[in-house]
Amino acid sequence: MGFTVFYLCVVVLIPLSAIFIKTAGLGFDQFIAVALSRRALLAYRLSFGAAAVAAAINSVFGLLVAWVLVRYDFAGKRIVSALVDLPFALPTAVAGIALTALYAPTGWIGGLLPVKVAFEPLGVVVALTFIGLPFVVRTVEPVLADLGHDVEEAAASLGAGRRQTFTRVILPAVAPALVTGFALAFARGVGEYGSVIFIAGNLPYRSEIAPLLIVQQLEQYNYAGATAIAATMLTASFAVLLAINLLQAWDRRRMAAL
Amino acid sequence: MTVAVADLTKRFRDHLALDSVTLDVRPGEFLALLGPSGSGKTTLLRIIGGLDFPDAGTVSFAGEDVAGRPARDRRVGFVFQNYALFRHMRVADNIAFGLTVKPRSQRPGAMAIAARVDELLALVQLPGLGRRYPAQLSGGQRQRVALARALAVDPAVLLLDEPFGALDAKVRNDLRRWLRGVHAQMGLTSIFVTHDQDEALDLADRVAVMNNGRIEQVDTPDAVYNRPATAFVADFIGNATRFDCRLSDGAVELAGVRLPNTAPPAPDGPGVAFVRPHEFAIASAGTPGLAATVRRVTHTAAMANVEAVLADGRVVDIATATVAVDAGAAITLVPTVVRAYPA
């Protein structure tokens, strides 16, 4: 316990508190002016909104990928499994450039799509979906594997159809892991910078993410302004993650209650 | 309900799990599928239950072919070795599952379902535990919940895959007797898989002994034990020792001793003989029979167990009422009853 607290302090809490101390150097009015400007608010909305949408997409398709990896044996399964982890390992800028090239109006995919993806908020969602996939797959996979085929067979022998088996047996069992995967993918998406800035186009008020706004403040040597935005993001992220954690703790207590 | 399978064949890649198996299960019967692991018994049970499908052969319930019908349309209760309870559901919801997934038109009302759940909880002797989660129950209790869940949909056939495999000995014995009672009370036709011969012989009306994807013998426990039809059954049931022998004129020649063959008649020639621990007499060294050395003598309530080492190094257990030997003594083992089969 003592070690945990110490480690958490050095690695997480001290750097984070530095942000708040730095922000405190700013007056209240100034803080409001920077952190809650229209441009900043729209950037938050994009960052959190796109991260939430991307995490939601990943929850659906990540579950599907995890399902296939757990339940089926096929040639090249290990390669597919390794591909899932690729977004973990790939430098995010590489991902960003690759996605931009694909989804740009002149790109392979972008040229085929009826809607514009790159340089639009939609592009941000695409990049964050790419980045977040392994978080959902890797958290759901062990739970699915642990669930065992026999509960599905039990449901079938009791007369349940495939849909009923999925919605009543499988989904509730993997839901906690799915929520964790969602939270991780969401958290990663909110903080993502490298892959997004290439594909987003970074138009102020339209496709500009909050981390980019911070970098811009830094480039203008406005450290207090940058930390003000950072502190706001941090508080919001923490609130969301805490809410998800509490929800899970409540769910666990409910399950363990005698 | 009669359950009949005919010429069932099932292949998993290179492994022939079932090799044209034919079996008739009578209405109201409690039948054990007994065999070593890999003998195909679980595959057979799963095919009857509709969880696996055969490559060839038929499965019929009360004369009606069900081979192509999936598990959910077979009205079969299946109890899994590891219970397969729905962990996120309370016990009551687990039991009610089969009723709540019915199409709306056939689904009983909430009150009727709750009443049925209470009835089943009483049947499996777990009244008042409906609000628990499976994680809060012991192994034996979970298995009884699994049984209640399977019985909720009024199955005509109950299939159990190693139902007591994961339980400790005491719980297992209690649960066995109790299950036998439930089977009789509900008028079910039940088939259970086990690798434990004591369990099969103790519980079943008839035992089907399986080996290498084939059924070797289907008979009453008494017949399977006392009149094994094949060498495999003689070897597998009841801890017998195997010897090479000669068969001639319905008699067995084994180590210079000539005995009548208690197994089905076999043609003359080389054979394999099986002798159980209580079918040896101990004689002094030099008597015709199997020369052996006593290694250990232990006593139980009424019997003594002698562990003897044969000339070829094999160890034989002998159960005898009277002992006049000590460890280290040279003795002769004289078989008194022998079952021999063509080699």
Side-chain angles (χ1 to χ4, degrees):
Chain A
M1 178 66 190
F3 178 78
T4 309
V5 170
F6 173 75
Y7 188 77
L8 213 61
C9 277
V10 171
V11 175
V12 181
L13 286 180
I14 292 178
L16 289 189
S17 56
I19 292 178
F20 286 98
I21 291 165
K22 191 86 187 170
T23 312
L26 225 56
F28 181 74
D29 290 347
Q30 257 181 305
F31 173 82
I32 295 291
V34 178
L36 300 182
S37 68
R38 194 171 118 73
R39 186 172 172 186
L41 285 175
L42 284 171
Y44 300 142
R45 196 180 76 176
L46 178 62
S47 270
F48 285 98
V53 172
I57 293 172
N58 275 328
S59 298
V60 175
F61 290 97
L63 177 61
L64 202 71
V65 171
W67 177 268
V68 170
L69 285 176
V70 168
R71 282 289 184 269
Y72 297 96
D73 262 321
F74 51 91
K77 179 171 167 173
R78 282 167 196 284
I79 295 173
V80 171
S81 183
L83 278 176
V84 168
D85 284 331
L86 208 57
F88 271 146
L90 205 64
T92 50
V94 176
I97 291 166
L99 289 172
T100 310
L102 280 176
Y103 284 95
T106 52
W108 286 351
I109 300 177
L112 299 175
L113 291 175
V115 291
K116 203 169 163 232
V117 176
F119 319 125
E120 289 289 329
L122 194 57
V124 180
V125 172
V126 168
L128 296 184
T129 306
F130 175 81
I131 291 299
L133 179 70
F135 291 95
V136 174
V137 176
R138 292 301 174 221
T139 43
V140 172
E141 207 181 346
V143 178
L144 264 184
D146 187 45
L147 188 61
H149 199 48
D150 54 358
V151 289
E152 289 167 49
E153 293 182 338
S157 77
L158 292 166
R162 294 188 70 82
R163 267 179 74 101
Q164 286 171 315
T165 304
F166 180 76
T167 56
R168 299 212 31 210
V169 174
I170 296 165
L171 202 55
V174 300
L178 205 56
V179 171
T180 303
F182 176 88
L184 288 173
F186 173 77
R188 174 67 201 266
V190 167
E192 179 57 18
Y193 176 76
S195 62
V196 177
I197 52 164
F198 290 98
I199 199 169
N202 308 325
L203 300 168
Y205 304 106
R206 177 161 181 83
S207 61
E208 187 178 54
I209 55 166
L212 180 73
L213 215 53
I214 296 172
V215 172
Q216 284 172 351
Q217 297 288 335
L218 289 176
E219 279 169 349
Q220 295 159 20
Y221 303 104
N222 183 3
Y223 295 121
T227 52
I229 298 171
T232 312
M233 277 194 81
L234 202 64
T235 311
S237 299
F238 184 73
V240 171
L241 291 178
L242 185 69
I244 290 173
N245 259 312
L246 288 176
L247 193 74
Q248 284 188 301
W250 171 78
D251 184 62
R252 265 199 300 277
R253 260 203 315 281
R254 195 173 58 99
M255 295 293 289
L258 274 165
Chain B
M1 187 163 79
T2 315
V3 177
V5 303
D7 297 318
L8 274 192
T9 299
K10 175 73 179 177
R11 185 180 285 279
F12 293 113
R13 297 208 179 119
D14 301 337
H15 174 65
L16 192 59
L18 290 179
D19 184 2
S20 83
V21 166
T22 297
L23 176 67
D24 287 304
V25 186
R26 299 164 191 158
E29 187 168 45
F30 205 10
L31 183 117
L33 295 175
L34 173 67
S37 49
S39 57
K41 54 193 191 302
T42 297
T43 305
L44 177 55
L45 191 79
R46 290 174 56 85
I47 288 177
I48 294 171
L51 299 175
D52 259 329
F53 294 91
D55 298 331
T58 60
V59 180
S60 62
F61 288 177
E64 192 187 347
D65 184 18
V66 295
R69 222 189 273 176
R72 68 167 179 272
D73 302 325
R74 285 199 189 185
R75 269 191 75 216
V76 154
F78 207 106
V79 176
F80 295 81
Q81 181 173 9
N82 294 310
Y83 326 124
L85 292 177
F86 307 132
R87 278 175 282 184
H88 61 280
M89 288 184 203
R90 293 176 194 278
V91 165
D93 297 325
N94 263 283
I95 295 173
F97 186 84
L99 300 171
T100 56
V101 295
K102 286 188 182 207
R104 199 170 291 277
S105 57
Q106 299 165 29
R107 195 184 306 162
M111 296 290 281
I113 290 179
R116 179 81 177 122
V117 167
D118 284 342
E119 195 183 308
L120 284 159
L121 278 170
L123 176 78
V124 300
Q125 299 171 347
L126 296 171
L129 295 191
R131 292 192 57 75
R132 297 253 184 114
Y133 283 96
Q136 298 157 347
L137 302 178
S138 71
Q141 290 175 326
R142 283 181 214 177
Q143 191 59 295
R144 281 185 277 166
V145 172
L147 189 72
R149 184 179 67 174
L151 294 175
V153 289
D154 285 318
V157 179
L158 185 63
L159 305 174
L160 309 106
D161 184 9
E162 300 265 5
F164 316 111
L167 301 171
D168 57 61
K170 168 82 176 83
V171 178
R172 198 184 312 185
N173 279 326
D174 292 348
L175 211 51
R176 251 190 227 173
R177 290 292 148 82
W178 169 81
L179 177 63
R180 181 76 232 202
V182 170
H183 163 85
Q185 188 184 336
M186 312 260 313
L188 293 161
T189 301
S190 306
I191 305 173
F192 76 104
V193 156
T194 181
H195 64 269
D196 179 344
Q197 48 174 290
D198 293 336
E199 191 168 290
L201 298 177
D202 180 39
L203 201 52
D205 295 321
R206 284 195 306 158
V207 179
V209 184
M210 293 193 68
N211 179 39
N212 273 332
R214 290 174 164 278
I215 290 182
E216 298 265 339
Q217 184 174 5
V218 189
D219 234 322
T220 60
D222 173 61
V224 165
Y225 187 85
N226 290 313
R227 295 182 298 280
T230 66
F232 174 81
V233 178
D235 197 9
F236 185 70
I237 305 280
N239 186 28
T241 308
R242 176 191 180 116
F243 299 98
D244 291 329
C245 67
R246 277 206 69 77
L247 293 159
S248 64
D249 301 333
V252 185
E253 283 166 26
L254 172 59
V257 181
R258 199 176 155 84
L259 286 163
N261 188 5
T262 58
D268 291 355
V272 282
F274 296 91
V275 185
R276 297 224 170 92
H278 60 274
E279 293 166 347
F280 286 106
I282 295 176
S284 54
T287 325
L290 299 146
T293 312
V294 176
R295 191 161 79 176
R296 220 164 92 86
V297 182
T298 54
H299 296 269
T300 55
M303 302 284 274
N305 294 304
V306 177
E307 210 177 286
V309 185
L310 295 173
D312 63 8
R314 284 194 298 164
V315 178
V316 184
D317 288 311
I318 301 116
T320 167
T322 53
V323 217
V325 290
D326 294 314
I331 54 168
T332 298
L333 295 178
V334 184
T336 53
V337 179
V338 63
R339 281 164 297 279
Y341 304 84

